[in-house]
Structures are given as C-alpha cells and as structure tokens.
Amino acid sequence: MNALISEADRYVVIGNPISHSMSPFIHADFAAQLGLPLQYERVLAPLNGFAQTVAALKAAGVKGANVTVPFKLEAFALAKVLPNSLTSAAEFAQAANTLKFNADGTVLADNTDGGGLCRDLDRQLNTLGLHLAQCQVLMIGAGGAASGCVSAFQQAGVQHLTVLNRTVPKARELAERAEAIDLPSAGGGLDTPPSHFETPGAPVVIVNASSSSLKGDVPVLHPDWYQRAVLAYDMMYAAEPTPFVWSLGKLDLPCSDGLGMLVFQAQLAFEVWTGASPNALETLTKVRQALLAKAKQP
Ligand code: ATR
C-alpha cells in the first residue's frame, strides 16, 4: 500500500436501538471541518452481546466507540477490570459513553456527557454575562443521566448542587456522593423550596436530568426556584420544544433543550480520540436544521 495514502480511522456508535442516532452526522461534520479521514458508523449490538460486539470491533481495527442506551453501564464494567482504564467522570457515573482502543491493546473509558452539558451551559451563560463556576445547579432527577453529570459539575467549579427527585432517598444518596468528591450538595423532594437549603446566593441554573419529558410529564418544583433561576435546561431534545421547555414558556427565563449537550459530548469524544477540537457550534446549527427537516418528513 502507498504509505502516503492512509486508510480512514474507523469509529462507531454502539446501541440498541441505534438507527435514530445523529452521532454519524455530527462526527462526519467534525471530520470534514478538520480535513481528517475518519469513518464513523452505527453498530446495532444484540441486547445480550455488547462485550462480543466490542471484541469484534477491536479485532477489526476500530479505534474507538461511542456507547449509548442501554450499554453505558456495560461499557464501564468492561473497562473497569482493566488497569488505568477509567476517567474520574466514568468512575463517578459508573457508566461510560466513550471508549478509546489504544494501539497497545489498552482501553480508555470516559464519560463525556457531563462535560458536554457543562460546555453547553457555559456557552449559554456566557451570553448572559455569567460563567458556570459562579452558579449553583438545581438538578431534577437522580438516575443514570443525573449521576453522569456530577463529576463534570465539580470539575467546572459549580458553587453548590441541589438534587431534587421524586424518590427522595435517591436524591440524598447522589448528593452525598457529590459531597464525597468535594462538591457542596444537598438532596430532597421535588417540592422542596430553595429556602430549605442553606444554599449560597449564587445564580441558579435548573437542569432537568429526569426522564419525565420522555413520558410527556413535567416535574413540579417549588415556584421559588424559578424566581432565583437565570437559565433552565432540559437534557432531552426534540424538533419541537420538550414538555419541560414548553411548560416554562410563559416565564421570563432563558430555556434550552439538550441538543447542544449532544454535540458538545461528541466534541469531547472527538478530542479524546484524535486530539483535535472541531467547532461544535458550527455543527450544532447543522444538527438543529437536520432535526427540524427530519420532523417535517411525512
Ligand atoms: P436515566 O438513565 O435516563 O437517568 P433512570 O436511571 O431510570 O433513567 O432515572 C430516571 C430519573 O427520572 C429518576 O430520577 C426518576 O425519578 P425516580 O427516581 O423517582 O423514579 C426520574 N423521573 C422519571 N419520570 C419522572 C416523572 N414523571 N416526574 C419526575 N421524575 C421522573
């Protein structure tokens, strides 16, 4: 083979289902921006065949993988047994969304979901003259999506984290785990007012990390949270406003869905794999257009 012609490095996204994934679109755009010969495909893994799928991809020379529902816990478990394979974000979440298969046979497992969220929050706060490090976060939900973000909040220097959840013990447990990594935190039920916690006077960023929007539900918070808030963010996204974003439409409060988080978590994965950083905002504009166009199709 001519040494000047390098084969494209192969990357994949593994999930079940996977046909809906926008990751190939996003990574193709990143690669085009930077002129990198990168090939990125969707891989549907059988529900009981994640480890075998990863082994086959590695053997075929694939350099890295994004991992999505329902395999993020399995991706973590797979890497956990290997030495020096976990980032602190993956360790805290006990879940991985990014795998890098190194040439020496080692594997790196990362979780870029929380870092992607923080980049998008910071981008939007900057337009308000604020930084995430000045703010406190009220996070709704205490499941997998929520725990995927805590380490990133700590690394971003968030002032305080309040976790509110329908099932209160789960909120308290996640807040205790956040405290253990030196992020001042408290947990409670959805209707707990901000005055219940001795939170600092920092501006509040509300993040909906619950899966309520999937069911068309909106978690009902004490109204004082909205009075203190500067930004509300739903980790879910859709062509139409999500139920959470829609429900806040009457308030004079900037609201966002989670499409930016999707693109920024991809930007972080791309950096892990290639060391290069594409312009995520440029890609976000195109992804939003693609999402709207798809929704208009009969
Ligand atoms: P994921 O991985 O998407 O986070 P999960 O681990 O099952 O999924 O967690 C779902 C989260 O959304 C939980 O915090 C759940 O609250 P409970 O712990 O009380 O079950 C929350 N959730 C789901 N539906 C909700 C709803 N309709 N209103 C409020 N919270 C909801």
Side-chain angles (χ1 to χ4, degrees), residues 141-146 165-167 170 190 209-212 215 217 219:
N165 195 44
R166 202 170 52 175
T167 310
K170 280 169 70 179
L190 290 175
S210 79
S211 51
S212 56
K215 299 161 200 155
D217 286 345

Side-chain angles (χ1 to χ4, degrees), residues 116-132 135 205 230-234 253-261 264 281 284 288:
L117 170 67
C118 288
R119 283 189 178 182
D120 198 28
L121 290 176
D122 232 355
R123 169 183 77 92
Q124 301 200 37
L125 287 166
N126 289 350
T127 67
L128 305 169
L130 292 166
H131 294 286
L132 185 55
C135 297
V205 174
V230 290
L231 175 66
Y233 193 98
D234 192 357
L253 176 64
C255 295
S256 171
D257 73 2
L259 195 65
M261 175 179 172
F264 282 104
L281 270 188
L284 175 56
R288 179 73 70 188

